[in-house]
Amino acid sequence: MTTAIDSATQATIDHWLNGNYDSDTKAAIRTLLDNGESTELIDSFYKNLEFGTGGLRGVIGVGSNRMNRYTVGAATQGLANYLNAAFPDQAIKVAIAHDSRRMSPEFARIVADIFSANGMEVYLFSSLRPTPELSFAIRQLGCQSGIVVTASHNPPEYNGYKAYWNDGGQVVAPHDKNIITEVNKITSIDDVKFEGVPERIHLIDEEIDSVYVERIKSNSINPEVIARQKDLNIVYTPIHGTGITLVPRVLEALGFTNVNIVEEQAKPDGDFPTVKSPNPEERDAMRLALEKAEAINADLIMATDPDADRVGSGARNHHGEFELLNGNQMASLIIYYLLQAWKDNGKLTGKEFVAKTIVTTDLIDKMCAEYGVFCYNTLTGFKYIAQIIRELEGQQQFIGGGEESYGYLIGDFVRDKDAIASCAMIAELTAYAKDKGLSLFDLLMEMYQKFGFYYEGLISLTKKGKSGAEEIQQMMADFRANPPKQIAGSPVLRVDDYASLERTDLTTGEKTAIEAGKMGIESSNVLQFFTADGTKVSARPSGTEPKIKFYVGVNEPLARKEDFDAVYEQLKQKVQTVMTDLNLK
């Protein structure tokens, strides 16, 4: 049974068949029509692919709702128009990189052509490169903007691009909304300047690579420890992505001599043939790395996602089994190592800071307080951490930061999560632990003994369609109208509502403002509940998927490493109790 195509969608299809689109595109549309692929046609043409606050993302194919030459072209022309308006009378420079996905090199070249046709100097990486290196290149070359062609860890049929500003961070307010306005003004492909100006397009590679590698080397805190533990047994996989270009090189530059690549996943391949999803948050993506680590008795596993901005890791636990560390654990370990090293080296002056997102573990806040270091909390999204770094430049010094979704940053020469620099730091802190006769997992337990055992759980509820969206909306409305009085037996003391930017003290009824407009905070549909025993629950509807996510954080003291298993079970049970109390199903 074929689905009837509505008149508006048919009008868009007719426009593509009759407009100045290339013959291959028109032939592909006719094939869909001839084959009666009405469902595919509707999905491809019923709307325009949206340029969101982070950029562009969609399925590759023909149509107004697909990633192709024309939708990429219209988005890029709108961005070019905004850049020319935002930087009048300036010679504008733009950097461009791409990942290993299908059509990524082609899309990168289209973007380069359009920027060059709009009078801009374009610095295009000659082959695939990690997203964080694009951020670095923007600052290194003094660019006003940058684009990386990637769809992160989405399925193979997707591609997209992320837009960056002159500080190397992804675009934030007001530029994000302003760019969307300009993109929406492009109503015809005849408005797009596709004809590139070759002399304005400059290929870049080693001149950026070498400086970037040296800057990452400068993050190293204990090079003498690496020298002693240079044969640390490391297994690394780029999961068919861009990490292969620089992670092995950086580890070698630091002095590590025993880096073992998962060969089945070493070759960049946009089909990601060995995994269901190229996402290091998922155990399946780490399966081959785990098998190799067992076979060679490795000390450390690391896996980067396709655009190498996030990294998953694993080490042997106290039972001798390989255990994958989650994003909260690794972010905490990195910050713990950095804080202690800055203290040991006498570098803490009271003007240093760490930044993380509001749904990331409060263990980081606790540690920063102990070390006398500011800890800033931002909305979800690394662009907000970049915004804080920019706003505090010259006033406070950024040590590091991270988010629970496996993204970390050390130092401020990159302004996005950086899996290349993170792999270097994770390898170093594993070497540091081994130098003390400990495993990475031992170091984790040591941190919990000092500051408390913090454990986080996430439940993601999928609610599809119009009714699902309404259900999510109703859940948030109910929580706002009737916030829970207690959670898991502990009274709720405070509610933070980021939609109204209002904080309510439930013990006094006093309401205070959550300051917006700076420091990574703006109005967002997020609710947080804080209890007397330190439990934190965050409710956040997804902006891109039909989901609502609940982040639960609980903690208990850990007196001895021997108590780890018992306390771990206690915390897991507490998270389940929280979810039951809030009727999350």
Side-chain angles (χ1 to χ4, degrees):
M1 179 182 169
T2 57
T3 306
I5 298 174
D6 64 274
S7 58
T9 301
Q10 187 62 55
T12 306
I13 293 170
D14 293 341
H15 175 73
W16 278 58
L17 286 171
N18 298 316
N20 289 330
Y21 296 84
D22 65 86
S23 57
D24 287 348
T25 294
K26 292 179 180 181
I29 296 169
R30 289 193 186 98
T31 299
L32 290 171
L33 285 165
D34 293 344
N35 293 342
E37 299 281 355
S38 58
T39 302
E40 175 65 19
L41 280 163
I42 290 167
D43 198 38
S44 298
F45 286 96
Y46 83 99
K47 66 173 183 175
N48 290 331
L49 187 65
E50 286 182 31
F51 191 100
T53 54
L56 209 59
R57 188 172 296 186
V59 173
I60 301 164
V62 297
S64 58
N65 189 36
R66 293 285 186 259
M67 278 288 292
N68 54 60
R69 169 181 177 81
Y70 302 105
T71 54
V72 167
T76 306
Q77 185 62 55
L79 175 55
N81 291 348
Y82 182 67
L83 286 168
N84 277 321
F87 299 100
D89 307 318
Q90 286 189 41
I92 296 173
K93 297 191 285 188
V94 181
I96 302 169
H98 69 80
D99 69 4
S100 59
R101 286 182 172 273
R102 300 169 187 168
M103 294 295 293
S104 281
E106 292 86 348
F107 287 145
R109 189 72 206 198
I110 290 165
V111 171
D113 284 343
I114 293 168
F115 281 133
S116 70
N118 281 274
M120 300 171 189
E121 297 298 314
V122 178
Y123 296 88
L124 173 66
F125 276 101
S126 61
S127 59
L128 78 168
R129 286 298 189 281
T131 287
E133 190 178 8
L134 183 276
S135 172
F136 176 77
I138 291 169
R139 294 168 55 75
Q140 183 71 13
L141 296 168
C143 296
Q144 282 83 359
S145 184
I147 294 289
V148 60
V149 178
T150 181
S152 189
H153 57 276
N154 272 51
E157 62 268 24
Y158 282 81
N159 213 326
Y161 75 47
K162 293 189 280 195
Y164 290 76
W165 206 241
N166 60 0
D167 64 329
Q170 289 187 56
V171 291
V172 293
H175 306 300
D176 51 2
K177 302 290 196 301
N178 293 345
I179 292 168
I180 291 169
T181 299
E182 287 298 325
V183 170
N184 291 339
K185 288 179 185 176
I186 307 297
T187 56
S188 167
I189 59 159
D190 298 330
D191 297 334
V192 182
K193 299 175 182 177
F194 282 109
E195 287 299 318
V197 182
E199 55 268 30
R200 288 201 181 114
I201 300 174
H202 315 282
L203 295 183
I204 55 173
D205 38 51
E206 182 57 27
E207 67 270 35
I208 300 297
D209 294 346
S210 56
V211 184
Y212 178 49
V213 169
E214 285 303 310
R215 290 302 300 270
I216 291 174
K217 273 183 70 178
S218 73
N219 281 338
S220 180
I221 293 160
N222 290 303
E224 70 286 354
V225 167
I226 296 174
R228 289 195 294 270
Q229 301 295 336
K230 63 183 181 182
D231 62 347
L232 184 78
N233 196 345
I234 300 169
V235 168
Y236 168 68
T237 174
I239 319 182
H240 304 292
T242 61
I244 194 65
T245 61
L246 284 171
V247 170
R249 176 174 172 175
V250 163
L251 293 174
E252 182 184 354
L254 283 168
F256 291 105
T257 59
N258 191 13
V259 179
N260 303 276
I261 311 295
V262 178
E263 292 300 335
E264 301 95 319
Q265 297 176 326
K267 185 181 177 183
D269 188 336
D271 290 334
F272 310 114
T274 64
V275 294
K276 292 176 186 172
S277 169
N279 183 356
E281 290 185 70
E282 296 177 13
R283 190 176 183 87
D284 178 70
M286 306 282 277
R287 179 179 56 82
L288 291 174
L290 283 161
E291 289 173 2
K292 190 175 187 78
E294 283 287 3
I296 66 173
N297 193 27
D299 298 303
L300 173 67
I301 302 168
M302 295 188 291
T304 51
D305 67 343
D307 68 323
D309 60 355
R310 299 183 311 124
V311 56
S313 50
R316 288 195 186 275
N317 63 20
H318 52 303
H319 299 298
E321 302 160 342
F322 271 103
E323 186 161 331
L324 298 179
L325 302 180
N326 64 40
N328 282 306
Q329 290 172 319
M330 185 48 71
S332 299
L333 274 171
I334 291 171
I335 298 303
Y336 175 44
Y337 181 64
L338 291 171
L339 290 171
Q340 188 59 47
W342 278 60
K343 181 182 178 184
D344 291 345
N345 294 331
K347 291 169 64 178
L348 293 182
T349 66
K351 290 188 174 181
E352 292 72 32
F353 74 98
V354 162
K356 69 178 189 67
T357 64
I358 58 174
V359 297
T360 300
T361 179
D362 287 346
L363 173 55
I364 294 175
D365 301 77
K366 177 82 175 291
M367 291 191 293
C368 286
E370 293 277 341
Y371 283 91
V373 168
F374 292 96
C375 183
Y376 295 103
N377 283 268
T378 76
L379 292 177
T380 304
F382 228 89
K383 62 183 181 179
Y384 295 114
I385 292 177
Q387 183 182 12
I388 284 183
I389 297 171
R390 184 180 72 241
E391 291 180 2
L392 291 178
E393 217 159 6
Q395 303 166 55
Q396 295 182 28
Q397 187 169 2
F398 178 69
I399 292 177
E403 59 184 6
E404 44 72 43
S405 54
Y406 293 62
Y408 324 112
L409 180 61
I410 301 100
D412 66 357
F413 52 88
V414 166
R415 300 295 172 89
D416 203 351
K417 46 190 179 284
D418 185 346
I420 312 301
S422 298
C423 282
M425 189 55 66
I426 292 165
E428 178 171 332
L429 69 89
T430 306
Y432 168 80
K434 193 170 185 180
D435 205 50
K436 293 169 64 177
L438 304 172
S439 70
L440 186 62
F441 207 84
D442 289 327
L443 200 64
L444 182 77
M445 292 193 289
E446 176 189 288
M447 176 178 66
Y448 287 156
Q449 280 182 270
K450 286 185 180 178
F451 303 103
F453 192 157
Y454 283 69
Y455 174 76
E456 289 77 30
L458 170 67
I459 185 166
S460 184
L461 305 180
T462 300
K463 308 281 185 181
K464 292 185 177 178
K466 182 172 180 286
S467 62
E470 290 169 352
E471 192 177 345
I472 288 171
Q473 195 175 359
Q474 190 60 50
M475 287 176 79
M476 293 298 286
D478 289 346
F479 275 125
R480 286 191 167 94
N482 298 293
K485 300 289 189 295
Q486 64 173 32
I487 298 174
S490 183
V492 176
L493 302 182
R494 190 179 106 204
V495 178
D496 286 1
D497 187 342
Y498 284 87
S500 61
L501 292 168
E502 195 170 64
R503 174 169 293 160
T504 305
D505 183 332
L506 295 187
T507 58
T508 64
E510 183 185 2
K511 294 181 183 294
T512 53
I514 300 171
E515 191 172 3
K518 66 174 188 177
M519 306 308 284
I521 298 298
E522 59 190 19
S523 180
S524 183
N525 191 16
V526 181
L527 274 172
Q528 290 191 306
F529 307 106
F530 301 83
T531 73
D533 68 355
T535 295
K536 179 176 78 173
V537 179
S538 307
R540 185 176 78 90
S542 171
T544 56
E545 300 172 287
K547 292 180 178 179
I548 181 168
K549 295 181 179 181
F550 292 88
Y551 306 78
V552 180
V554 296
N555 64 89
E556 291 287 343
L558 179 65
R560 307 175 307 150
K561 287 183 180 179
E562 292 78 8
D563 299 334
F564 180 89
D565 290 344
V567 176
Y568 183 39
E569 286 304 315
Q570 183 183 343
L571 291 170
K572 283 200 293 186
Q573 184 54 53
K574 189 169 186 179
V575 166
Q576 287 303 313
T577 302
V578 169
M579 291 177 177
T580 302
D581 279 6
L582 295 177
N583 197 28
L584 303 182
K585 59 177 190 262

